[in-house]
């Protein structure tokens, strides 16, 4: 008989690892013990060496379904005592926290069966969960993941729940949030004036009836409240749009199951796979024509964000509904998702008719993840519930604790310590006091998880980003902290390098909407020769002026007009029969021309994101936009793959000059032709740049590459060429991936 000590790190707590090990040990005739500590899981094996080998092999090949093993260290122990049985022992605490927090997971099939089983004591219990599903990140205060460290601490288990909790062969063994209607959190339905209407399953039935009548309900989910209404009711969806002041931005739709989704959409096998996964994210899929879905759900775009009910509460609600529902984050513009009913009452009383709440606190808010499938790859647009916190195991241990602050839009933070790189869930845009407070709270949450104090802080170069301001604030509090600023678009390229573990020189192309450039201008069409340590800007879109600064982002017609000013005289422009020109009065054009001539509130930009805006104006698709990226989505709709031509351009003196394109565009008046030739032009520019640096791997990143058509064309082209080519997949290409890029610069 021999003894072996196994130490396992990764996502190994709150995922049923100890009972799994217990049952595996019994299977292989092994004695000893297993426990948790704040690093991970420890296993002592007392057995024949052959049994230990078989045990370890099975553990590595088939771990618990929610577990992710980063490292498995095995050490033979001499002079070890004899063991008569295998036991699960209590968690150990030390002063070094490094256990990785597990993301929240959707309800599993076993729990769905429980809530539908009349003979089960959890029948119709809306907060049912087990070791294979349910809340983790959203309810935890600190590690280790024990009930006392979660928002379940105040709920004492009844005898039935205790029996399962203490049984190593039960799937609810040490499942920290387990409870039932007798001992756990319960549902309460409130009217908008705070009157209690009904409880538990009766409340769910009433909510279903209210949804059918056209009311808007705030329903508490896993990581925050959703605003819910009938997705088939045009009046309800329009009412939600008007009251939330969200004119056209698409809403996500929740469905009962895959069968229901197929009634309204054309989904691929890959999309089915993601929709049905344990994470249950929102997936962008193509709409069918002429369905009963409200036309107000995703105006002017041909796809919608779909997801399947992922909590027991959602499943119970769909028992009483006939169709899908809108399920959008409950918040005000530029504010984070709301996680407390009192805040719903305070901020959304003009929107919400009723509120369905349960009395288990959400400690850490978390939005829904968003994914689109591009050439069979699951491209993350928003990294949140089900996937985040995201952990990446580093090959080498970092010498100092590093905190990266991300950007101002689609904010995230990242931490590096020991061999761990952690990306937080999506935080949101830092455009309000509430969102900045949420950002700072998230930093403190992760510091508390891991007893983490940063020795190096990395942030963006933009002086007015709230994340940059907070970085300097922390530096002022502790002058010993090393503060590093990383250029925005270089961080985009680094995010791809981090994801693919690239440590070599690359050709990096970063196309997005906005980023602070080294020369003080607004960058967004950048070409770099870069490695982990440094970069050189070797090319960029030739600068053009943004008429009115920030207002130009909201009014694509201003961007288009500025490009006309660059290439034509005022008299020529006034005579043009063009949708952009028609969008202005003559005196407005003259006023903007004076601004352009005198450079009054007209910052220079190289942004490809703004070029998309201009194209939408020239093609008469959109002259003003109500949400970021609307022009890109619209242009996608008009792409015609049969159109192979592109517009002309010149690349010289480290600039990509699009003057010829602008002069050619005004001669075209067909939406499909303009949009198709424009996207083909962007592809051709990237191909030309790639051919100039054939010896370097090509790396692309930035929000522009979330455009499905553009990315598909590039993937097809470079795969056919056998080009070494990298892009964001698991890390968002938008600013949600910047903090990973920032941190990679210092690892």
């Amino acid at each position: 008989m021999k003894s072996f000590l196994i130490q396992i790190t990764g996502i190994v707590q709150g995922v049923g690892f100890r009972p799994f090990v217990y049952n595996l040990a019994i299977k292989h005739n092994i004695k000893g013990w297993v426990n948790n500590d704040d690093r991970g899981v420890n296993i002592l094996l007392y057995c024949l060496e052959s049994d230990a080998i078989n045990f370890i092999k099975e553990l590595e090949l088939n771990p618990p379904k929610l577990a992710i093993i980063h490292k498995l260290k095995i050490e033979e122990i001499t002079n070890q005592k004899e063991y008569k049985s295998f036991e699960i022992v209590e968690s150990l605490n030390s002063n070094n926290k490094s256990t990785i927090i597990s993301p929240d997971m959707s309800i599993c099939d076993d729990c769905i069966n429980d809530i539908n089983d009349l003979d089960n004591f959890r029948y119709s219990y809306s907060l049912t969960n087990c070791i294979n599903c349910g809340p983790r990140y959203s309810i935890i205060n600190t590690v280790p993941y024990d009930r006392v460290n979660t928002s379940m601490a105040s709920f004492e288990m009844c005898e039935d729940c205790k029996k399962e909790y203490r049984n190593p062969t039960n799937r609810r063994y040490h499942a920290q949030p387990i409870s039932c209607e007798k001992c756990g959190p319960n549902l309460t339905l409130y009217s908008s004036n705070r009157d209690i209407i009904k409880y538990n399953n009766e409340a769910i039935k009433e909510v279903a009836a209210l949804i059918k009548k056209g009311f808007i309900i705030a329903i508490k989910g896993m990581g925050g409240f959703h605003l819910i209404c009938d997705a088939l009711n045009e009046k309800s969806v329009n009412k939600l749009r008007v009251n939330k002041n969200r004119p056209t931005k698409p809403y996500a739709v929740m469905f009962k199951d895959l069968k229901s989704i197929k009634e309204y959409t054309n989904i691929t096998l890959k999309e089915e796979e993601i929709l049905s996964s344990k994470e249950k994210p929102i997936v962008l899929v193509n709409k069918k024509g002429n369905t009963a879905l409200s036309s107000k759900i995703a105006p002017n775009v041909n796809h919608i964000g779909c997801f399947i009910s992922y909590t027991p509460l959602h499943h119970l609600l769909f028992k009483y509904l006939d169709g899908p529902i809108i399920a959008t984050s409950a918040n005000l513009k530029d504010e984070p998702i709301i996680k407390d009913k009192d805040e719903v009452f305070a901020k959304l009383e003009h929107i919400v008719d009723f509120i369905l709440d349960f009395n288990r606190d959400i400690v850490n808010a978390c939005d829904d993840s968003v994914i689109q499938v591009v050439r069979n790859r699951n491209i993350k647009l928003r990294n949140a519930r089900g996937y985040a916190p995201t952990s990446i195991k580093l090959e080498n241990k970092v010498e100092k604790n590093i905190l990266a602050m991300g950007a101002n839009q689609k904010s995230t933070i990242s931490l590096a310590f020991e061999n761990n790189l952690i990306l937080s869930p999506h935080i949101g845009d830092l455009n309000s006091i509430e969102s900045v407070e949420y950002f700072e709270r998230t930093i403190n949450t992760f510091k508390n998880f891991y007893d983490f104090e940063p020795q190096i802080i990395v942030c963006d170069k933009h002086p007015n980003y709230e994340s940059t301001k907070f970085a300097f604030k922390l530096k002022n509090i502790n002058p010993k902290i090393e503060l590093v600023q990383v250029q925005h678009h270089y961080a985009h390229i680094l995010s791809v390098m981090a994801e693919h573990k690239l440590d070599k020189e690359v050709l990096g192309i970063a196309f997005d909407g906005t980023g602070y450039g080294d020369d003080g201008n607004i960058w967004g069409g950048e070409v770099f020769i870069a490695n982990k340590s440094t970069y050189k800007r070797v090319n960029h879109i030739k600068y053009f002026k943004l008429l009115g600064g920030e207002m130009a982002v909201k009014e694509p017609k201003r961007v288009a007009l500025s490009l006309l000013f660059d290439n034509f005289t005022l008299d020529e422009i006034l005579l043009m029969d063009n949708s952009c020109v028609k969008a202005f009065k003559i005196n407005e054009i003259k006023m903007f021309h004076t601004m352009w001539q005198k450079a009054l509130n007209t910052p220079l930009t190289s942004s490809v994101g703004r070029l998309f805006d201009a194209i939408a104006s020239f093609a008469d698709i959109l002259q003003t936009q109500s949400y970021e990226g609307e022009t890109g989505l619209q242009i996608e709709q008009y792409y015609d793959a049969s159109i192979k031509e592109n517009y002309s351009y010149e690349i010289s003196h480290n600039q990509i000059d699009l003057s010829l394109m602008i002069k050619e565009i005004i001669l075209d008046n067909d939406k499909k032709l303009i949009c198709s030739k424009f996207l083909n032009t962007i592809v051709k520019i990237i191909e030309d740049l790639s051919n100039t640096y054939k010896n370097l791997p090509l790396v692309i990143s930035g929000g522009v590459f979330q455009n499905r058509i553009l990315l598909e064309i590039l993937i097809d082209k470079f795969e056919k060429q056998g080009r070494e080519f990298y892009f964001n997949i698991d890390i968002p290409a938008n600013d949600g991936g910047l903090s990973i890029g920032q941190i990679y610069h210092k690892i």
Side-chain angles (χ1 to χ4, degrees), residues 556-557 560-561 564 568 572-584 589 614-620 623 662-670 674:
K557 61 185 180 181
L561 186 62
L564 291 178
F568 300 94
E572 286 174 327
I573 292 168
L574 291 173
L575 292 173
M576 285 181 180
D577 182 19
N578 179 276
S579 58
C580 163
V581 176
K582 290 178 179 178
F584 295 98
I589 294 175
I615 298 307
S617 172
F618 286 135
D620 199 20
Q623 302 300 340
I662 302 305
K663 290 173 182 177
E664 292 170 358
I665 257 177
I666 62 165
L667 301 176
D668 291 331
N669 56 16
D670 179 78
I674 292 172

Side-chain angles (χ1 to χ4, degrees), residues 323-452:
I325 52 177
I326 299 293
T328 187
S329 300
N331 64 337
L332 294 176
K333 183 176 172 57
D334 292 330
E335 291 190 12
I337 188 170
I338 293 174
K339 62 188 180 73
D340 179 80
K341 77 173 188 302
D342 291 331
E343 195 175 352
V344 178
F345 282 126
K347 293 183 174 181
L348 303 180
E349 62 178 357
H350 64 294
I351 299 175
V352 170
D353 299 308
F354 299 89
I355 298 172
L356 185 61
D357 184 42
F358 52 80
N359 57 328
R360 182 185 71 206
D361 289 342
I362 296 172
V363 178
N364 306 302
C366 194
D367 260 300
D368 296 309
S369 292
V370 181
I371 286 179
Q372 70 173 346
V373 176
V374 181
R375 291 295 184 257
N376 225 34
R377 278 101 161 167
N378 305 350
I379 305 293
K380 273 189 199 159
L381 306 182
R382 184 164 71 198
N383 188 45
R385 176 187 54 77
Y387 301 100
T390 301
S391 63
I392 299 173
K393 196 66 180 176
L394 301 174
E395 293 179 7
N396 300 310
K397 194 172 182 178
V398 297
E399 295 178 1
K400 294 182 178 180
N401 289 350
I402 310 170
L403 170 64
M405 310 296 261
N408 220 63
Q409 288 185 305
K410 298 177 174 60
S411 172
T412 61
I413 62 165
S414 290
L415 291 78
F417 59 94
E418 297 185 3
N419 291 89
N420 302 303
L421 175 54
I422 311 290
L423 172 64
S424 78
H426 166 86
I427 295 170
D429 298 348
L430 306 183
N431 295 332
S432 66
I433 293 172
E434 290 79 5
S435 61
V436 173
E437 288 174 347
Y438 178 35
F439 170 75
E440 295 180 11
R441 214 163 47 239
T442 302
I443 291 173
N444 289 328
T445 293
F446 278 84
K447 286 171 67 176
N448 184 47
F449 282 164
Y450 302 113
D451 285 345
F452 176 94

